[in-house]
Amino acid sequence: MGLFLHPIFTTRAHVFQIDPNTKKNWMPASKQAVTVSYFYDVTRNSYRIISVDGAKVIINSTITPNMTFTKTSQKFGQWADSRANTVFGLGFSSEQQLTKFAEKFQEVKEAAKIAKDKTQEKIETSSNHSQESGRETPSSTQASSVNGTDDEKASHAGPANTHLKSENDKLKIALTQSAANVKKWEIELQTLRESNARLTTALQESAASVEQWKRQFSICRDENDRLRNKIDELEEQCSEINREKEKNTQLKRRIEELEAELREKETELKDLRKQSEIIPQLMSECEYVSEKLEAAERDNQNLEDKVRSLKTDIEESKYRQRHLKVELKSFLEVLDGKIDDLHDFRRGLSKLGTDN
């Protein structure tokens, strides 16, 4: 910082000050995390906490033995500065940084107490020496000093002016060094701001990519829901096919019963024909049998028509069943492809989340 300020410890934190009106709410003193440092002031034999945001000094707090640094949360601490009539607060990025700052505060406070005690001892010693020399000086000497000539006054003022000039030169050198350090810190701060801007841009791009993945995931989820609905419809159609199968089974059984009945009728017809050949005298019965035979033939024809109709229904049912099986197979292939795409998309999304 300069010839008279030696750095002891440096960290980064967000700086806050208590609201002077309410004395309750915190007001941010820096827009972002800034450098906060402990310094030893050689000229005043004291310790300070100094923080600069750009060209503005936001903290210049001299540490006294009666100050206390209080941790109010895992990443926030505060201390009161009676000279500045305010309370400073620091927000750190981690609990470890807060702990290190608090430990350093305690060390510096102890050092400030020791320095104050030494300064007090020096003042008391100097005061004692002054009192002793005053008692030893004769009154005539004191009178001549008070009533001395202008030349004597000028000779006494010369060393004082030389000392003030020397102190002024030292302060100018310290100010020049401080300005150079401020310039260096401004360059450092600009670099950090550019880095922060790049990180912010990367974060925004990552957020946009995540939003795009979310939209794609939403689209795939909607597609999956649509496919599930389609599967439900196909399952319902399969249930209808099963019901058709049951109907076909019942029709087959009915056809078998009708065929058995037809065979019985044919057997009966054969018997009647044999009887008509063996017993020619029963012409009337033959006529009756003929009529019955015609009726049986009509019934047989009707049954054959029914059988053909049933066979046609069976063929149509089989054709519909084969068509539905083909559609179901095609849909299942499409569904497998969509499920594979969904798994790939989930793996990509998981990988993106891990990278972020």
Side-chain angles (χ1 to χ4, degrees):
M1 188 77 177
L3 294 177
F4 304 109
L5 294 178
H6 297 299
I8 299 173
F9 176 78
T10 300
T11 186
R12 292 185 66 82
H14 290 269
V15 180
F16 299 87
Q17 280 185 282
I18 202 72
D19 189 346
N21 297 322
T22 63
K23 298 294 183 182
K24 293 181 180 180
N25 300 325
W26 288 106
M27 299 173 59
S30 63
K31 296 180 180 178
Q32 56 188 359
V34 295
T35 302
V36 182
S37 304
Y38 287 95
F39 286 96
Y40 173 61
D41 189 347
V42 179
T43 58
R44 294 181 176 83
N45 192 23
S46 62
Y47 294 87
R48 298 187 195 177
I49 299 175
I50 297 176
S51 178
V52 179
D53 186 7
K56 180 183 177 182
V57 178
I58 54 179
I59 298 179
N60 186 6
S61 176
T62 302
I63 300 176
T64 60
N66 58 350
M67 280 186 177
T68 302
F69 184 82
T70 305
K71 295 180 182 179
T72 57
S73 67
Q74 291 183 348
K75 298 181 182 180
F76 193 87
Q78 67 183 48
W79 78 96
D81 189 341
S82 58
R83 293 183 180 180
N85 193 24
T86 187
V87 179
F88 293 102
L90 297 179
F92 296 89
S93 60
S94 65
E95 186 177 0
Q96 290 79 7
Q97 290 182 349
L98 173 61
T99 303
K100 288 181 181 178
F101 190 89
E103 292 173 353
K104 188 59 64 176
F105 192 96
Q106 188 64 29
E107 294 176 7
V108 171
K109 188 173 76 168
E110 294 294 332
K113 183 178 180 182
I114 294 171
K116 183 179 179 181
D117 293 340
K118 288 183 179 179
T119 303
Q120 188 68 27
E121 289 176 1
K122 288 180 180 179
I123 293 172
E124 290 176 356
T125 304
S126 176
S127 176
N128 292 332
H129 285 305
S130 298
Q131 291 175 0
E132 290 175 0
S133 63
R135 286 194 296 269
E136 292 174 357
T137 303
S139 59
S140 60
T141 306
Q142 292 176 1
S144 68
S145 296
V146 172
N147 299 317
T149 63
D150 294 337
D151 293 335
E152 291 175 347
K153 291 179 181 178
S155 65
H156 285 296
N161 290 334
T162 304
H163 179 70
L164 288 175
K165 186 177 180 181
S166 176
E167 289 293 327
N168 192 20
D169 293 337
K170 288 181 180 179
L171 287 174
K172 287 181 180 179
I173 294 170
L175 183 61
T176 304
Q177 186 69 24
S178 298
N181 287 335
V182 166
K183 187 67 176 177
K184 184 177 70 175
W185 288 352
E186 286 179 353
I187 295 172
E188 250 182 60
L189 181 61
Q190 184 63 27
T191 304
L192 290 172
R193 283 176 177 172
E194 292 175 357
S195 176
N196 189 24
R198 288 195 296 270
L199 290 173
T200 303
T201 304
L203 182 62
Q204 291 175 352
E205 292 176 355
S206 177
S209 178
V210 169
E211 289 297 328
Q212 183 180 1
W213 280 108
K214 284 182 179 179
R215 287 193 296 271
Q216 291 184 359
F217 179 74
S218 178
I219 292 170
C220 290
R221 184 173 57 190
D222 294 339
E223 181 69 15
N224 190 23
D225 293 337
R226 190 182 65 81
L227 291 175
R228 287 182 182 277
N229 294 331
K230 185 66 175 176
I231 289 173
D232 294 336
E233 292 176 0
L234 289 175
E235 287 179 350
E236 186 176 354
Q237 291 179 3
C238 289
S239 299
E240 292 179 358
I241 291 172
N242 292 330
R243 288 194 294 270
E244 291 290 335
K245 285 182 179 180
E246 292 178 358
K247 289 182 180 179
N248 291 337
T249 304
Q250 293 176 359
L251 290 173
K252 285 181 179 179
R253 286 197 295 270
R254 181 59 180 166
I255 290 170
E256 290 175 356
E257 292 175 358
L258 291 173
E259 288 178 349
E261 187 177 351
L262 180 60
R263 286 193 294 272
E264 291 177 358
K265 294 293 183 180
E266 288 178 350
T267 304
E268 186 178 352
L269 181 60
K270 289 178 181 179
D271 294 337
L272 289 173
R273 285 178 178 175
K274 288 179 181 179
Q275 290 178 6
S276 64
E277 292 176 356
I278 296 171
I279 308 173
Q281 67 272 14
L282 298 175
M283 294 299 294
S284 60
E285 291 181 6
C286 286
E287 290 175 358
Y288 172 75
V289 170
S290 296
E291 292 175 357
K292 191 174 182 180
L293 179 60
E294 289 175 359
E297 286 177 351
R298 285 194 298 272
D299 293 336
N300 186 24
Q301 185 65 35
N302 292 332
L303 290 173
E304 286 178 353
D305 293 336
K306 288 182 179 180
V307 169
R308 282 194 296 272
S309 176
L310 290 171
K311 285 183 178 179
T312 302
D313 293 338
I314 290 171
E315 291 298 327
E316 289 178 357
S317 177
K318 287 181 178 179
Y319 175 77
R320 286 198 302 272
Q321 185 177 358
R322 285 194 300 272
H323 183 67
L324 287 174
K325 284 182 178 179
V326 171
E327 286 185 353
L328 181 60
K329 183 178 180 181
S330 175
F331 172 76
L332 290 176
E333 290 175 353
V334 173
L335 180 61
D336 290 338
K338 292 293 183 180
I339 291 173
D340 292 338
D341 293 341
L342 182 59
H343 286 318
D344 293 339
F345 169 73
R346 284 180 176 172
R347 285 195 295 270
L349 186 60
S350 300
K351 184 176 179 182
L352 177 59
T354 305
D355 294 340
N356 289 336

